[in-house]
């Protein structure tokens, strides 16, 4: 009997290996191998592996890298603040039309960046809503779509749905008893919020904030549509590759960008895991 | 118990946020039907922009749908079996594979596209065919299918059910078709919706992989936004909404099976920008 189980188990293992092989082959051939080649190419410029170093000390590339990181950080902070207010509110209240509101707030989740860019043009372009409103109110047409502000607005636009979903899910799981206890001990509404609600939301804020930051770092479509004067890192990679044919630099920059976003996401996941474990 | 002032302030704030997201969508829909958006709806309503978009860019719509269809087919054929194996054998190697296949989502699509062009760009027939875009979409969407099916299979006691079936004489394939697949259906549905939605909206990868003859809808949209008048861009966006919004609504309805809350946060991780 045991011997029979063994052969059956071995037979199963062979079948299982065959079942997962296509996925492994596709992943190796069309992602891991190409990315490996990209890493090698990034180190194949005039200065070899030092290309990575050169790129990081080159003031033009470094400036773009810092601008992109600052933009992503600013977008993350603003999106988190908006999502905390609206996410906690929506998770805790029940009123007519609430589900419609939630649906609207999560609708743009899978809009591509190019379409988000067009939404910014609708708001802040030459024929945009804000322009018409300011023209009517002050006689001056405010056009911001093709500036840094427009880029910022677009990034916040696509960040809100993903962050608000996570904050809402986390707020629903908060223990209201803790807040009642704090209140009964005389804590003000604000103290309850800052000392009980925010710490409870912290794992969700860290992980969704990291996702927001990483996505903003790698965002390409919105910047491509708005094509503002200030280049962000993905736009720089695109122009280095297509216009300047500077393949080594484009490769090195994309490896650096990919490494940054991956590290931020991995860090957030381990942080979220640790706090969950600590809370349990 | 709750202070009415606070409630009203939060409600107004949330309504403003919703307006920030919804108003541009509504505006672009109206603009797509307006003779001349500069003079507003007063200039008259028309379907000529939609018709013009269809003649100029209709092939990108069909091309995107075809890519999404084949992307889904490949995901079903390679993703479901992979998820089944990951659910059957939880060990270091399978966990590592599960981590690895998510990398194309964690790394910006532009980097993946650049890498694919570097390695396969010289194979002319492959480079200029839709298959080049397809492989990019497959590696990008695969983790969504695998994790969504895996989440459902992990939420049931697969081992116990399969042992029961085996004791009744079911073989390897019979166990798959009578136990695993029927139970995995909600995950397969959610995964399929995600794969199609992401493939249709993908731009970051697709731009570098596309050629003038292989243009998807988002690539066509980017071209239209920079080269065409606002009404035409709006009408094109409208066409995109008609396809993507039903998918998003379906995702809100069926995108979160097993209450494991794995499916939706995963979509939120999607680097769609």
């Amino acid at each position: 009997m045991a011997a029979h189980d063994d052969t059956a188990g071995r037979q199963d293992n062979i079948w299982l290996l065959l079942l997962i092989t296509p996925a492994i082959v596709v992943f190796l051939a069309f992602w891991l191998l190409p990315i490996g080649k990209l890493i090698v190419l990034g180190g194949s410029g005039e200065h070899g592996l030092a290309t990575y170093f050169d790129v990081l000390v080159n003031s033009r590339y470094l400036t773009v890298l810092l601008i992109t990181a600052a933009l992503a950080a600013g977008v993350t902070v603003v999106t988190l603040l908006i999502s905390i207010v609206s996410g906690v509110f929506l998770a805790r209240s029940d009123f007519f039309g609430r589900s419609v509101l939630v649906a609207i707030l999560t609708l743009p989740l899978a809009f591509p960046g190019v379409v988000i860019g067009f939404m910014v043009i609708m708001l802040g372009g030459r024929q945009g809503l804000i322009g018409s409103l300011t023209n009517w109110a002050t006689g001056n047409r405010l056009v911001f779509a093709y500036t840094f502000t427009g880029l910022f607005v677009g990034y916040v636009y696509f960040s809100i749905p993903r962050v608000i979903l996570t904050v809402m899910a986390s707020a629903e799981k908060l223990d209201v008893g803790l807040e009642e206890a704090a209140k009964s001990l005389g804590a003000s509404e604000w103290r309850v919020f800052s000392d009980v609600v925010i710490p409870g939301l912290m794992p969700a804020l860290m992980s969704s904030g990291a996702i927001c930051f990483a996505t903003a770092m790698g965002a390409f479509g919105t910047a491509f549509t708005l094509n503002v004067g200030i280049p962000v890192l993905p736009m720089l990679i695109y122009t280095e590759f297509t216009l300047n044919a500077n393949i080594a630099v484009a490769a090195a920059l994309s490896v650096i960008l990919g490494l940054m976003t991956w590290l931020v996401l991995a860090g957030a996941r381990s942080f979220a895991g640790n706090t969950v474990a600590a809370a349990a | 118990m709750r202070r009415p002032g606070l409630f009203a302030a939060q409600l107004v704030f949330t309504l403003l946020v919703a307006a920030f997201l919804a108003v541009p969508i509504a505006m672009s829909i109206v603009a797509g039907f307006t003779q001349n958006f500069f003079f507003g709806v007063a200039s008259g309503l028309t379907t000529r922009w939609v018709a013009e978009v269809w003649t100029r860019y209709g092939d990108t719509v069909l091309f995107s749908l075809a890519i999404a269809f084949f992307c889904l087919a490949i995901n079903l054929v390679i993703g479901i079996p992979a998820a089944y194996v990951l659910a059957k054998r939880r060990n270091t190697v399978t966990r590592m594979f599960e981590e690895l296949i998510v990398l194309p989502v964690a790394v910006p699509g532009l980097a993946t596209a650049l890498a694919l062009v570097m390695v396969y760009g010289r194979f002319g027939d492959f480079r200029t065919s839709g298959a080049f875009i397809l492989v990019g979409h497959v590696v990008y969407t695969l983790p969504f299918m695998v994790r969504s099916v895996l989440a459902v299979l992990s939420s049931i006691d697969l081992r116990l059910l399969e042992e029961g079936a085996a004791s009744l004489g079911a073989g390897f394939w019979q166990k798959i078709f009578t136990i695993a697949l029927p139970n995995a259906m909600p995950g397969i549905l959610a995964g399929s919706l995600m794969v199609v939605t992401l493939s249709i909206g993908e731009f970051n990868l697709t731009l570098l992989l596309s050629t003038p003859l292989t243009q998807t809808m988002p690539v066509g949209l980017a071209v239209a936004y920079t080269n065409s008048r606002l009404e035409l861009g709006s009408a094109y966006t409208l066409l995109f909404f008609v396809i993507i919004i039903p998918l998003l609504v379906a995702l809100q309805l069926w995108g979160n099976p097993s209450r494991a809350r794995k499916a939706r946060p995963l979509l939120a991780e999607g680097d769609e920008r």
Side-chain angles (χ1 to χ4, degrees):
Chain A
M1 190 64 195
H4 171 77
D5 270 4
D6 253 18
T7 42
R10 213 169 298 141
Q11 187 74 40
D12 277 10
N13 276 340
I14 295 170
W15 283 126
L16 289 176
L17 188 64
L18 283 176
L19 282 178
I20 202 171
T21 301
I24 294 177
V25 170
V26 167
F27 179 75
L28 288 182
F30 298 116
W31 200 80
L32 206 56
L33 174 81
I35 288 287
K37 169 103 175 180
L38 190 72
I39 294 171
V40 173
L41 272 173
S44 70
E46 285 174 58
H47 303 108
L49 273 176
T51 309
Y52 284 104
F53 183 73
D54 289 354
V55 161
L56 282 178
V57 294
N58 177 308
S59 67
R60 188 167 79 92
Y61 300 142
L62 188 65
T63 311
V64 173
L65 185 69
L66 291 178
I67 288 176
T68 313
L71 171 68
V75 166
T76 305
V77 170
V78 170
T79 307
L80 281 175
L81 290 176
I82 293 173
S83 303
I84 291 170
V85 175
S86 293
V88 173
F89 169 68
L90 288 169
R92 299 218 159 157
S93 24
D94 198 12
F95 53 88
F96 179 74
R98 177 188 170 278
S99 55
V100 176
L101 211 49
V102 173
I104 290 175
L105 288 170
T106 53
L107 185 65
L109 194 58
F111 284 8
V114 279
V115 172
I116 308 270
F118 192 62
M119 296 296 111
V120 176
I121 293 175
M122 280 289 146
L123 283 176
R126 280 176 280 273
Q127 302 177 46
L129 176 70
I130 305 290
S132 308
L133 287 179
T134 49
N135 190 30
W136 170 79
T138 66
N140 275 323
R141 196 169 273 276
L142 179 64
V143 175
F144 62 84
Y146 310 97
T147 66
F148 196 70
T149 311
L151 206 56
F152 194 93
V153 169
Y155 281 28
V156 170
Y157 188 106
F158 70 61
S159 302
I160 287 175
R162 57 189 62 207
V163 176
I164 221 167
L165 266 180
T166 321
V167 173
M168 270 176 60
S170 169
E172 276 164 17
K173 288 190 206 120
L174 285 182
D175 184 358
V176 186
L178 286 176
E179 290 165 50
E180 299 296 332
K183 261 181 223 163
S184 73
L185 292 170
S188 67
E189 200 130 3
W190 173 248
R191 278 296 300 273
V192 173
F193 185 71
S194 69
D195 291 2
V196 182
V197 177
I198 292 292
L201 291 176
M202 212 27 114
L205 297 181
M206 289 301 289
S207 70
S208 62
I211 291 170
C212 178
F213 181 84
T215 311
M217 285 293 297
F220 178 46
T222 311
F224 188 85
T225 299
L226 295 177
N227 202 3
V228 299
I230 313 132
V232 285
L233 196 48
M235 280 298 279
L236 179 70
I237 295 170
Y238 180 75
T239 38
E240 285 296 326
F241 178 71
T242 53
L243 297 182
N244 305 339
N246 204 342
I247 289 164
V249 168
L253 284 173
S254 20
V255 170
I256 291 168
L257 176 63
L259 204 62
M260 282 179 72
T261 57
W262 176 72
L263 279 175
V264 168
L265 289 174
R269 266 207 313 188
S270 67
F271 177 86
N274 287 343
T275 43
V276 170
Chain B
M1 224 178 78
R2 199 167 290 278
R3 291 187 310 187
L6 187 65
F7 178 85
Q10 286 174 312
L11 179 64
V12 168
F13 180 80
T14 306
L15 285 173
L16 282 174
V17 177
F20 166 56
L21 300 184
V23 166
I25 299 176
M27 281 176 74
S28 88
I29 292 172
V30 173
F33 287 120
T34 306
Q35 284 282 3
N36 187 332
F37 192 63
F38 189 74
F39 298 109
V41 186
S43 65
L45 294 174
T46 177
T47 53
R48 64 181 267 225
W49 305 119
V50 178
E52 195 175 332
V53 159
W54 186 254
T55 44
R56 267 212 239 175
Y57 297 103
D59 50 345
T60 67
V61 179
L62 300 177
F63 185 71
S64 267
L65 291 175
I67 291 280
F69 174 79
F70 285 112
C71 185
L72 174 60
I74 294 174
N75 261 289
L76 292 174
V77 172
I78 73 173
I80 299 173
Y84 176 72
V85 176
L86 296 183
K88 287 272 284 185
R89 297 277 185 271
R90 309 292 283 144
N91 56 45
T92 326
V93 179
T94 55
R95 255 178 250 276
M96 205 178 83
F97 178 72
E98 202 190 324
E99 289 294 311
L100 278 176
I101 58 166
V102 187
L103 281 175
V105 182
V107 168
L110 191 60
T112 300
L114 204 56
L116 281 168
V117 171
M118 302 284 189
V119 173
Y120 298 105
R122 275 165 292 133
F123 300 90
D125 290 344
F126 179 45
R127 173 72 182 90
T128 51
S129 74
F132 199 49
I133 294 172
L134 186 60
V135 293
H137 283 208
V138 168
V139 288
Y140 176 64
T141 53
L142 185 64
F144 295 92
M145 177 62 86
V146 170
R147 277 172 63 167
S148 156
V149 175
L150 182 60
V152 175
L153 287 180
S154 309
S155 71
I156 60 167
D157 199 337
L158 187 63
R159 177 182 290 266
L160 190 74
L161 289 171
E162 287 208 337
E163 272 172 14
S167 73
L168 295 170
F172 181 83
W173 296 102
Q174 218 175 348
K175 283 190 291 184
I176 290 184
F177 284 105
T178 56
I179 306 289
L181 273 181
N183 275 296
M185 273 310 163
I188 296 174
L189 175 65
S192 302
L193 284 169
M194 275 186 236
V195 166
V196 171
T197 311
L198 290 174
S199 170
I200 289 181
E202 216 307 313
F203 175 79
N204 293 1
L205 268 165
T206 317
L207 181 68
L208 276 184
L209 303 182
S210 70
T211 65
L213 289 176
T214 54
Q215 276 194 352
T216 63
M217 223 185 325
V219 174
L221 279 165
V223 174
Y225 291 154
T226 38
N227 298 341
S228 309
R229 53 182 299 156
L230 191 78
E231 293 82 357
L232 209 62
S234 294
Y236 198 175
T237 311
L238 181 77
L239 214 57
F240 178 76
F241 284 154
V242 167
I243 294 170
I244 206 82
I245 289 181
L247 282 166
L248 286 167
V249 172
L251 256 177
Q252 292 198 344
L253 293 177
W254 301 298
N256 197 8
S258 84
R259 309 298 297 157
R261 289 209 171 272
K262 275 193 177 166
R264 214 183 275 172
L266 185 63
L267 180 65
E269 268 177 48
D271 170 27
E272 255 318 283
R273 308 305 133 207

